[in-house]
Amino acid sequence: MRFRPAFELDLDTVLGPLSRGSRSPNVVRTEGGVTWLAANTADGAGTLALLRRADGEIEAEAWGPGADRLLEGVPAMLGAHDDDSGFVAHHDVIASARRRNPGLRLGSTGRVWDALVLAVLEQKVTSTEALRSWGELCRWFGEPAPGPAPSRLHVPPTPVAIRSIVDWKWHRAGVDLKRRTTLIAAARVAPRLEKAVELKGVEGRAWLRKVPGIGVWTAAEIAQRAWGDPDAVSFGDYNIPSMVGHALVGTKLDDAGMSEVLAPYSPQRQRAVRYLSTAGFRRPRFGPKIELRDYRAM
């Protein structure tokens, strides 16, 4: 299929939240500019390949049982349903970031499960630890992506696969008891969790939080990807409050301070955060690095 967006689109930026860089097992960008995504859908596993043509048109192909559903979801995933009307930049740095990134859109996959697994794995650990566990779970308990996809592209493990993992294999993947317990609890009610996409907003996030172990931060991370929630700020994040504070008021903030600074942007606070992160603002690095833990050595 071909999709011609009626808006300026930066493909890498809109797909950025779905990837974790060059080591992502379910998102791979190959030479020639093709972005490959492997995902679980209500119809089964699927692979989606996206290529932006010189004229701005997006060419999409898909394979596997979930192919049709993935193709149907391309416009929404690329931000066609995003609505930034009413957004006002109350800070010069955000106004500048918005001018420099006119193609920033908040995309929505329409699917909770894959985003949930990764978000839970990222709870209270470094990105390196989480990505290591994510890759191992996808390779060991997911499946190779359907179609002519790159060999390292894998579909994330399904709820059934998650429930089948025995303790020593969780340990081998570096996933501690708290996170594995949350994933198993979510897997037991996985079909019901997809209702959050219909509810959206505060109600959708509250629905996700009915699962023990899914709190404000995890629900926000899922909402940002599953339905492009423009107000779902990741409160409780190690980096974001400091990044927002230094960018907007020149000093480190905690969650309460960030909430106060971002209040004028409600109900589009997450959009403001995305402008800052896309523009390259980062938390200043002070002090010793966080020590990496290897749960497999415990």
Side-chain angles (χ1 to χ4, degrees), residues 97-241:
R98 195 179 194 200
R99 287 193 298 270
R100 295 199 306 271
N101 296 280
L104 186 148
R105 309 286 296 187
L106 303 183
S108 55
T109 65
R111 301 181 304 277
V112 164
W113 177 251
D114 291 352
L116 182 151
V117 177
L118 180 54
V120 171
L121 291 175
E122 291 179 321
Q123 291 177 349
K124 306 298 183 181
V125 298
T126 66
S127 58
T128 300
E129 291 174 277
L131 186 56
R132 180 176 61 199
S133 297
W134 177 232
E136 290 176 345
L137 289 179
C138 287
R139 288 191 298 273
W140 298 343
F141 304 105
E143 62 177 273
S151 59
R152 68 185 182 89
L153 190 72
H154 279 71
V155 180
T158 64
V160 171
I162 287 291
R163 294 180 65 182
S164 74
I165 303 174
V166 296
D167 284 351
W168 73 268
K169 290 186 177 180
W170 282 116
H171 187 76
R172 186 182 173 200
V175 183
D176 59 275
L177 180 61
K178 187 175 188 307
R179 288 180 295 157
R180 76 181 74 161
T181 300
T182 300
L183 286 172
I184 292 169
R188 290 184 177 128
V189 295
R192 293 171 56 194
L193 294 179
E194 299 297 332
K195 181 181 176 181
V197 177
E198 301 172 18
L199 295 172
K200 295 184 169 57
V202 175
E203 289 184 65
R205 282 175 263 145
W207 186 260
L208 296 172
R209 292 182 62 193
K210 291 180 181 292
V211 176
I214 293 184
V216 172
W217 182 89
T218 307
E221 291 286 308
I222 299 167
Q224 291 162 19
R225 293 155 179 79
W227 64 87
D229 193 324
D231 202 46
V233 179
S234 300
F235 289 106
D237 194 90
Y238 179 73
N239 296 301
I240 292 175

Side-chain angles (χ1 to χ4, degrees), residues 22 28 46 50 55 67 81 83 125 143 166 170 173 181 224 226-227 229 246 248 250 272 286:
S22 60
V28 174
L50 298 170
D55 63 357
H81 299 165
D83 181 10
V125 298
E143 62 177 273
V166 296
W170 282 116
T181 300
Q224 291 162 19
W227 64 87
D229 193 324
H246 283 282
L248 299 187
F286 303 111

Side-chain angles (χ1 to χ4, degrees), residues 244-294:
V244 171
H246 283 282
L248 299 187
V249 296
T251 188
K252 181 179 179 179
L253 293 175
D254 57 13
D255 277 348
M258 179 172 69
S259 179
E260 183 177 349
V261 169
L262 292 178
Y265 293 96
S266 181
Q268 301 200 50
R269 293 173 297 173
Q270 173 58 19
R271 191 184 305 278
V273 174
R274 280 294 307 282
Y275 275 122
L276 293 177
S277 62
T278 303
F281 286 98
R282 295 291 182 270
R283 178 183 70 87
R285 297 183 181 274
F286 303 111
K289 299 174 89 173
I290 297 175
E291 182 180 355
L292 295 182
R293 293 166 291 179
D294 188 348

Side-chain angles (χ1 to χ4, degrees), residues 44-47 62-68 146-147:
T47 300
W63 299 264
D68 289 345

